[in-house]
Amino acid sequence: MHEFQVNVRAAIARARVRIKGTIQDPAWMIAEMIIPMFSIGGFILLYRALGAPASYSGFVIVGGTMIAFWTNVLWGMAAQFYWEKEVGNLEIYFVAPISRMAILLGMALGSIVTMVLRVFGIVLFGILLFNVSLNIVDPIAVAIIFTLTLASLYSLGMVFSSLYLLWGREAWKLNELLVEPIYFLSGFFFQIRGNVVVPLVLQFASSLIPMTFGLDGLRKVLILGQGLQSVLLEVSVLIAFSIALFVAAHYVLGYMENLAKKEGRLTLRWQ
Amino acid sequence: MSNSVEQQKRKVFDLKTIEVENVSRIFRISSEKEILALDDVSLHVKEGEVFGLLGPNGAGKTTLIKILATLLLPSKGRAFVAGHDVVKEPAKVRRVINLVSGGETPGYGSITTRENLWFFSQLYGLPKGESMKRIAKLSEDLALQEYLNTRTHKLSTGYRQRLNLARGLINDPKVLFLDEPTLGLDVITAKRIREIVRNRVKNGSGNSILITTHYMVEADQICDRIAIIDRGRMIALGTPAELKKMVSKQTIVSIETQPIDGGMDFMSSIAGVNGYSQTDEPSTGRIKLKVVLNEEGALQNVIHAVSARGRIFEIAKSEPTLEDVYIALVGKGFE
Ligand SMILES: Nc1ncnc2c1ncn2[C@@H]1O[C@H](COP(=O)(O)OP(=O)(O)O)[C@@H](O)[C@H]1O
Ligand SMILES: [Mg+2]
């Protein structure tokens, strides 16, 4: 029980540090809300010029906000332990009597809180600037899909972070590699899964990414005005992804820590 | 009766807070190259003791500290901290230790000193009141008070290192590992750190400290016992006085000369010379030689050999220091 309490304290503290560090820079927060407007605006204008249905503009807003989350998962979560190692923080986490998962979880929670603030801004700007309308009939379904999407995304971030414990620059490259293909595969701007013009292989690949289901689900409940009934598949897949990835993160982290202790790679400097 | 015997036994057992048994550590650099960073080291540290690991760069000091702090696995041997096996029970070990690596400045630059310290305290689950009390006490001890509300990326390196030491003390660790804690610090901060180190083990606190350093004088001043390590092997162990006694039969002389062409290698071949070290004195452009002689008579040979190669400015006999112990054991100085 005591141990559990210590871990909860550590996770909350880690989350708070991240939130404080981020919101101390309001100008940057605002900038991060406005920057996505360029690509969002570009796609919206393109769709309108092509005479696409009005709902497509909504898809773009949803996709744009999810891109923000994905970028954050890659650079704020996955690369995090690598960065902590650089500044000497990893060592202090690993000599402390806490579960390393508590630190990862705290990091994820902190990120989610700051990201939700940002995303709220992006959606607001998008709606106001481009006159996009949402069509929500089931707010609970929205909350469920949104929460599960974030849970699965950040669990994936925790897996990456653990993998990157041992990799240095390689991790950077992998991160860069993961940006564009995931944008495409998960269908940020248009649907891949179930889309007749997209090859089946790609459709299959896209269904391996939790984000795909999150985006599909969000489109349905945010824009197409559907309810929980119609997103049951997305909900169950996202639950499965969240649990599996969280458990995987736990094992990968344990395995990587042990490997790092064996190979002497938990810290960068040794002189 | 039996109770007190039990108690006495317990006491003897409890006395050892660190036990290192035949620990070796190999680093594999490539498929052909391996480094034997620690070679069959055994030692123990007692409660209430400041124990020093003294040795040149690359001797294996940090490697041993990392093994004890559960950050690195030994290749061979066993080690215990507060009675817990560092390999099999790392979680139990972590509850009673902390580690400060000199030169490192962990924490988050975008939050204040106080927020950082609070964060560190949460890694040990300290309740708020307790945490605040310790932050107040530590910032007083380390003269950090005026910077408590400053974001730490604005602090000078010296103060960031003080903050790191405060972090290491935040959980009041029974066993504290200090890896070159005064590395690169100004004299005032270094002195303060030495005082804090001595205060922690004072009068029955039950605390102990394992400190690594390559500053001889520092080791002499603050350590109760010292292990001298060289290339992974422990070559001497004892109190500073005991170690210095090892060279009490030998003669130690300092010689100031001009720089000598072709280096000092000839020294090793002079009969009666046990070892020597040399340091440049940039202010005068001269060289300071420290020579450990097995017999006083050998001084003649040394003076003869040196003066044949360069001018001698000064010769003085000196009291043994830890440096001389090292020179006598290894045949040369640290660098
Ligand atoms: N993680 C590591 N990987 C490879 N070699 C290492 C590692 N850590 C230490 N070494 C090597 O082991 C030896 C001992 O290093 P270290 O324990 O850091 O010495 P010290 O702290 O006494 O200066 C050195 O030769 C060093 O280069
Ligand atoms: Mg070292």
Side-chain angles (χ1 to χ4, degrees):
Chain A
M1 187 56 211
H2 177 68
E3 208 180 297
F4 179 72
Q5 211 175 13
V6 174
N7 282 322
V8 170
R9 286 218 166 101
I12 293 175
R14 183 66 189 84
R16 272 180 64 172
V17 164
R18 167 147 287 198
I19 295 166
K20 260 189 200 154
T22 314
I23 61 177
Q24 247 159 25
D25 213 340
W28 182 238
M29 284 272 294
I30 303 275
E32 288 197 313
M33 291 173 187
I34 293 176
I35 289 167
M37 287 310 122
F38 293 102
S39 56
I40 289 177
F43 272 93
I44 288 180
L45 295 179
L46 181 68
Y47 281 150
R48 287 187 181 160
L50 293 173
S55 60
Y56 273 48
S57 301
F59 290 174
V60 173
I61 298 269
V62 173
T65 57
M66 282 295 138
I67 284 183
F69 274 110
W70 180 243
T71 313
N72 182 253
V73 164
L74 286 180
W75 299 107
M77 279 296 292
Q80 189 66 21
F81 269 165
Y82 174 74
W83 180 80
E84 303 269 16
K85 182 147 83 171
E86 292 261 299
V87 294
N89 285 346
L90 205 56
E91 181 171 298
I92 67 172
Y93 291 142
F94 281 74
V95 294
I98 43 162
S99 153
R100 290 85 180 88
M101 282 299 274
I103 292 300
L104 272 184
L105 202 59
M107 229 149 70
L109 287 177
S111 300
I112 288 174
V113 170
T114 54
M115 284 304 295
V116 165
L117 285 178
R118 258 185 67 188
V119 156
F120 188 73
I122 295 179
V123 172
L124 206 68
F125 274 123
I127 289 176
L128 294 179
L129 277 176
F130 303 108
N131 195 19
V132 169
S133 57
L134 299 180
N135 178 12
I136 301 170
V137 295
D138 191 350
I140 294 177
V142 175
I144 290 176
I145 289 272
F146 188 62
T147 308
L148 286 175
T149 306
L150 293 193
S152 58
L153 270 186
Y154 281 85
S155 295
L156 183 64
M158 287 163 75
V159 174
F160 279 142
S161 197
S162 313
L163 284 173
Y164 290 8
L165 196 59
L166 276 197
W167 299 337
R169 299 221 166 65
E170 305 94 310
W172 236 236
K173 293 206 187 95
L174 185 63
N175 254 4
E176 273 158 7
L177 271 179
L178 281 174
V179 177
E180 301 292 336
I182 296 286
Y183 285 179
F184 175 72
L185 279 183
S186 58
F188 278 104
F189 295 128
F190 46 85
Q191 196 166 346
I192 297 280
R193 207 173 56 88
N195 187 330
V196 282
V197 294
V198 176
L200 270 177
V201 189
L202 284 185
Q203 289 198 34
F204 175 74
S206 81
S207 60
L208 294 178
I209 308 165
M211 183 107 81
T212 311
F213 292 87
L215 279 168
D216 285 356
L218 284 171
R219 280 192 198 103
K220 289 182 185 169
V221 296
L222 279 175
I223 296 150
L224 302 176
Q226 300 177 1
L228 195 55
Q229 287 300 322
S230 55
V231 287
L232 286 180
L233 171 72
E234 282 83 358
V235 168
S236 22
V237 171
L238 286 173
I239 290 178
F241 264 126
S242 303
I243 295 174
L245 288 170
F246 188 81
V247 173
H250 173 77
Y251 283 105
V252 172
L253 186 52
Y255 178 79
M256 285 299 173
E257 178 183 356
N258 206 47
L259 200 62
K261 280 169 73 171
K262 229 183 251 168
E263 296 187 356
R265 287 164 65 181
L266 217 42
T267 43
L268 280 187
R269 284 166 284 267
W270 60 68
Q271 286 294 2
Chain B
M1 256 316 262
S2 75
N3 207 348
S4 82
V5 172
E6 255 327 288
Q7 269 172 358
Q8 269 188 348
K9 265 197 200 156
R10 273 270 298 283
K11 211 167 169 185
V12 172
F13 175 72
D14 279 350
L15 273 176
K16 291 183 185 168
T17 51
I18 299 176
E19 288 172 273
V20 177
E21 295 175 358
N22 309 99
V23 164
S24 298
R25 170 72 213 203
I26 296 163
F27 288 110
R28 190 172 291 265
I29 304 296
S30 62
S31 51
E32 304 105 64
K33 196 165 173 245
E34 282 183 348
I35 291 180
L36 184 55
L38 282 178
D39 184 4
D40 199 26
V41 170
S42 297
L43 55 85
H44 67 263
V45 177
K46 290 179 275 191
E47 239 174 45
E49 204 171 36
V50 177
F51 189 97
L53 293 174
L54 180 66
N57 275 336
K61 308 180 293 292
T62 300
T63 301
L64 182 55
I65 280 217
K66 289 215 171 122
I67 289 173
L68 292 171
T70 76
L71 294 175
L72 188 67
L73 296 175
S75 306
K76 276 198 211 109
R78 297 195 305 172
F80 301 87
V81 172
H84 306 298
D85 190 315
V86 295
V87 176
K88 292 185 187 132
E89 308 166 290
K92 286 184 178 153
V93 172
R94 291 182 191 127
R95 277 187 211 131
V96 294
I97 62 166
N98 210 330
L99 162 67
V100 176
S101 304
E104 295 276 5
T105 51
Y108 296 92
S110 58
I111 57 174
T112 67
T113 302
R114 190 199 308 279
E115 287 164 343
N116 268 296
L117 284 171
W118 174 81
F119 172 63
F120 298 140
S121 78
Q122 296 309 289
L123 300 180
Y124 296 85
L126 291 192
K128 187 156 188 202
E130 182 66 28
S131 172
M132 289 303 153
K133 235 194 296 179
R134 289 201 193 164
I135 291 173
K137 173 82 173 66
L138 288 170
S139 50
E140 189 188 323
D141 289 352
L142 286 155
L144 276 167
Q145 290 129 311
E146 15 165 350
Y147 300 103
L148 275 177
N149 297 320
T150 309
R151 290 199 214 171
T152 57
H153 68 83
K154 294 215 183 89
L155 295 183
S156 67
T157 314
Y159 277 90
R160 291 235 294 273
Q161 274 174 266
R162 288 185 193 208
L163 169 61
N164 192 24
L165 188 69
R167 177 197 57 74
L169 297 170
I170 197 93
N171 63 324
D172 193 16
K174 191 171 158 60
V175 179
L176 176 63
F177 300 105
L178 298 175
D179 194 6
E180 314 250 5
T182 57
L183 191 74
L185 283 183
D186 58 287
V187 273
I188 297 170
T189 311
K191 181 158 174 272
R192 201 176 271 266
I193 288 179
R194 289 197 281 268
E195 281 163 13
I196 289 173
V197 166
R198 281 313 317 177
N199 279 336
R200 270 196 70 74
V201 296
K202 229 166 37 191
N203 46 28
S205 63
N207 295 330
S208 48
I209 293 175
L210 180 65
I211 180 172
T212 78
T213 177
H214 64 269
Y215 300 133
M216 315 265 187
V217 181
E218 179 169 281
D220 199 352
Q221 268 179 10
I222 61 173
C223 297
D224 297 303
R225 285 192 306 142
I226 291 169
I228 299 183
I229 313 201
D230 184 58
R231 278 170 293 170
R233 307 200 39 187
M234 193 170 82
I235 54 174
L237 174 71
T239 64
E242 282 166 356
L243 291 175
K244 283 184 265 184
K245 217 165 158 194
M246 291 169 63
V247 290
S248 64
K249 294 220 170 57
Q250 295 168 324
T251 302
I252 294 138
V253 287
S254 318
I255 302 173
E256 228 178 272
T257 77
Q258 35 176 163
I260 287 169
D261 291 339
M264 303 302 300
D265 288 345
F266 67 91
M267 289 288 287
S268 336
S269 56
I270 302 173
V273 170
N274 198 335
Y276 69 95
S277 76
Q278 68 172 88
T279 32
D280 298 337
E281 308 260 286
S283 56
T284 55
R286 296 171 183 178
I287 281 185
K288 193 158 185 180
L289 276 177
K290 204 118 193 256
V291 191
V292 180
L293 305 167
N294 284 329
E295 43 184 354
E296 217 168 336
L299 183 56
Q300 244 358 82
N301 309 340
V302 171
I303 294 174
H304 189 78
V306 175
S307 56
R309 289 168 172 86
R311 198 170 141 206
I312 294 180
F313 298 106
E314 204 179 305
I315 302 179
K317 265 176 95 165
S318 45
E319 284 297 304
T321 64
L322 290 175
E323 186 184 5
D324 307 317
V325 179
Y326 184 83
I327 294 172
L329 288 168
V330 178
K332 58 180 175 53
F334 265 16
E335 245 69 50

